[in-house]
Amino acid sequence: MPQKNGMATQEPSVEQALAVLSVGDAERAATLLRALLREDASDAEAWHAMACVARAGGDAQSAIALAGRAIGLRPEGHFHITLAYALLEQGHAEPARAAANVAVMTTPRDPQAHEVMAASLEAENRVQEAEVALRTALRLRPLDCEKHLSLAAFLARHGRVAEAVQTSEKALRLAPENVFAHNQHAVLLERAGRMREAEPFFAVVATAFPQDAVALANYGAALFAKGDFEEARSLLQDSARRAPDAPETRTNLGLVQMALGALDEAEQELGAALALRKHDARLAVNYGTVLSDLGRRHEAEALFRQVENWEASEQDRARARFNLGTVLLAEGRFHEGWQAFEARQSLLPARHTEELPQWDGADAGGAPVLLYAEQGLGDTLHFLRYVEPARQRAPILLAVPEGLRSLVAQMESVQAGRVTLLEKGQPARSAGVVACCSLLSLPARLGLDAPYRWTQVFQETGTGSDLSDWAVSVPLRGAGEGAAPQSAAKPLRVGLCWAGNPSYRFDRRRSMAPACLAPLAEVPGVAFQSLQRDHAGEGLPFSVTPLPDGDMLSTARLVAGLDMVITVDTVIAHLAGVLGKPVWLLNRFGGDWRWAEGSTRALPDGRAENLWYPSLRLFSQAAPGEGNAPWEKPVKAVAEALHKLVKM
């Protein structure tokens, strides 16, 4: 054994060189291999190892030549595997498949031979054969996590994401400590639209690589999807500091800031993301959205119109057009607004409507048309007004969510038999329906440009247990003072709703903590009734009567017995408005288009009237912001107005 300074040194070997290469020291590996080849130029393993070094360094052309020299000396199966991969990296799919075929024939029990064959076949778009080769490799090593991961990645590339997730789950069960398996599984869940479920797996990766900007960004995005906004923001800010030129990170950070109400910060981040990728339609739509929320609608409109003409995916152009529609509606430009609003249909999940054709709003010649609820309960209540003009053109079969069914059954047109309510589970075609239409599409299909106002919604039955107490067949009150004064002996009965559905991404902006309503405690002569579902009033600084269990009809009956309603932007605002009850809306900054200037008209006495719900009065945030602070002024204004009302 050679000596150096009195100590034995190890002779270089191919195994030693490959071990050095495996830890990333390609230069040292090449030095060892050159020494071996100087001693013996006929060492086929050394030439093959040099090909591996070349591939690791990104020099596929040299790897082809070196692997070829090794094969010329001794045609081993694993030499052909390396040659096949190098040929693929150079884009030579057919020669690669030929080399892979030799490897499979020579070493049929080597799973790597089948894997490179799969890669070669996939490169030639021979997908089914490639899958067979990958599954053969898996059968040879059924307990190998990497083999399951390879198959999962293949399935995902070819659109079989659900199968890919299942295969990835098997990989994780085999190697729960494998960080890369966690990462791939999380990415696949994201692709499957299951980002919330991806969070714990991205968390493992971020914990393993706490300095990695991508790992932090992925974890932050998953937390955002779960609604853990503060933690998501912290992670995304950390990631953005480490990699400020990552547009996806800046975009997600901007969206988190939007969800938290920090609109100015959101505008900066979303603008920075668009500057990094100037013609990305998705990023442009996100930026236009925050501009619109900030009240910069003309800038937003211009940007959305640009995106409509870009070379972009159909979905991105539809998002731009839909957002353009909301801008136009907010400004009262209803004709074009309703047409653009129709673009939302391309963004919604496919709805089972028995493959009925879409109704264009024309006279149906006496054949029934199905009208269906498309989105939330509030939107359904709002657009039910269009059932009346629709029935002038066709007999109507109406489908609504189960939670609204008993309430909608009290509609005057349903009670009178002019509109038929679809029974639960009843096929629409059984009633002879020839076409269908979403309630939200009726303004566009019917060509009704101005807001359609109704004067009576529900049939008064004459029985106290039904709707006779509902003030719906009399002229609606104005929104100025909102309710009649009460006698000193009788308290004003006021319904309260302070929060919406927390699953809505921007719910934090429209909802408030119960403590924000503290100024109302100082108003004497008021009895508060909670209209907040699943909340008896914990955290409120005054007592409220809890909302009893029941559906929307029972809530409507309760609202009918109140003098007025104070609510944030939820279904309760629509319910009170539909019933003609005075409703004071605590409106977030950059709120819904229904509460914007385009849906408001000035009355002769100087008051403002909402065109959709004349009994509604707005108390809006003056500026954007996080947490409770933006609610201080509008709640104080409500308390002052309520105090004046009680004193009248």
Side-chain angles (χ1 to χ4, degrees), residues 306-361:
Q306 287 178 31
V307 175
E308 279 194 278
N309 296 316
W310 284 1
E311 290 291 332
S313 70
E314 180 180 346
Q315 186 176 51
D316 284 338
R317 288 198 300 272
R319 285 183 65 219
R321 182 153 181 77
F322 168 68
N323 284 14
L324 172 63
T326 62
V327 167
L328 296 171
L329 293 175
E331 296 202 332
R333 295 150 67 185
F334 291 104
H335 178 76
E336 186 183 1
W338 288 131
Q339 300 303 320
F341 193 65
E342 285 295 275
R344 75 191 185 284
Q345 298 279 17
S346 301
L347 307 173
L348 295 170
R351 179 184 172 85
H352 176 62
T353 51
E354 304 177 41
E355 299 182 353
L356 290 166
Q358 285 292 311
W359 184 43
D360 62 5

Side-chain angles (χ1 to χ4, degrees), residues 19-104:
V20 170
L21 178 63
S22 69
V23 296
D25 194 347
E27 185 176 349
R28 174 63 177 156
T31 299
L32 293 172
L33 291 169
R34 289 191 192 98
L36 283 172
L37 289 169
R38 281 196 297 270
E39 293 291 329
D40 182 4
S42 64
D43 188 341
E45 290 288 354
W47 286 112
H48 172 253
M50 284 292 287
C52 293
V53 170
R55 277 196 67 217
D59 188 357
Q61 188 61 50
S62 294
I64 292 170
L66 291 164
R69 185 156 186 177
I71 290 168
L73 291 167
R74 194 172 75 243
E76 296 283 349
H78 60 287
F79 297 174
H80 285 89
I81 292 173
T82 299
L83 175 60
Y85 276 124
L87 287 165
L88 276 176
E89 288 158 9
Q90 285 291 98
H92 306 312
E94 180 55 28
R97 189 188 63 78
N101 188 58
V102 174
V104 169

Side-chain angles (χ1 to χ4, degrees), residues 10 36 38 66 68 91 165 205 219 273 390 445 465 475 484:
Q10 184 179 2
L36 283 172
R38 281 196 297 270
L66 291 164
V165 170
V205 182
Y219 185 28
R445 305 285 173 84
S465 61

Side-chain angles (χ1 to χ4, degrees), residues 457-575:
V457 185
F458 298 100
Q459 174 70 44
E460 296 197 81
T461 63
T463 62
S465 61
D466 285 296
L467 303 174
S468 59
D469 293 332
W470 296 18
V472 295
S473 62
V474 297
L476 301 177
R477 297 183 187 275
E481 293 305 321
Q486 302 295 296
S487 67
K490 184 179 180 182
L492 194 71
R493 297 165 298 169
V494 178
L496 278 182
C497 182
W498 56 89
N501 186 342
S503 65
Y504 172 54
R505 173 172 283 189
F506 297 117
D507 181 65
R508 292 276 287 272
R509 288 170 57 193
R510 70 169 176 179
S511 297
M512 67 176 71
C516 293
L517 295 171
L520 300 186
E522 302 173 9
V523 182
V526 178
F528 291 107
Q529 165 68 56
S530 173
L531 299 176
Q532 190 69 50
R533 185 66 62 190
D534 301 324
H535 201 299
E538 297 89 345
L540 285 172
F542 48 84
S543 62
V544 295
T545 304
L547 178 67
D549 292 335
D551 61 7
M552 198 58 67
L553 176 58
S554 65
T555 302
R557 286 174 173 151
L558 181 62
V559 170
L562 300 174
D563 294 304
M564 63 178 299
V565 170
I566 299 171
T567 180
V568 293
D569 186 4
T570 72
V571 63
I572 295 299
H574 294 276
L575 179 62

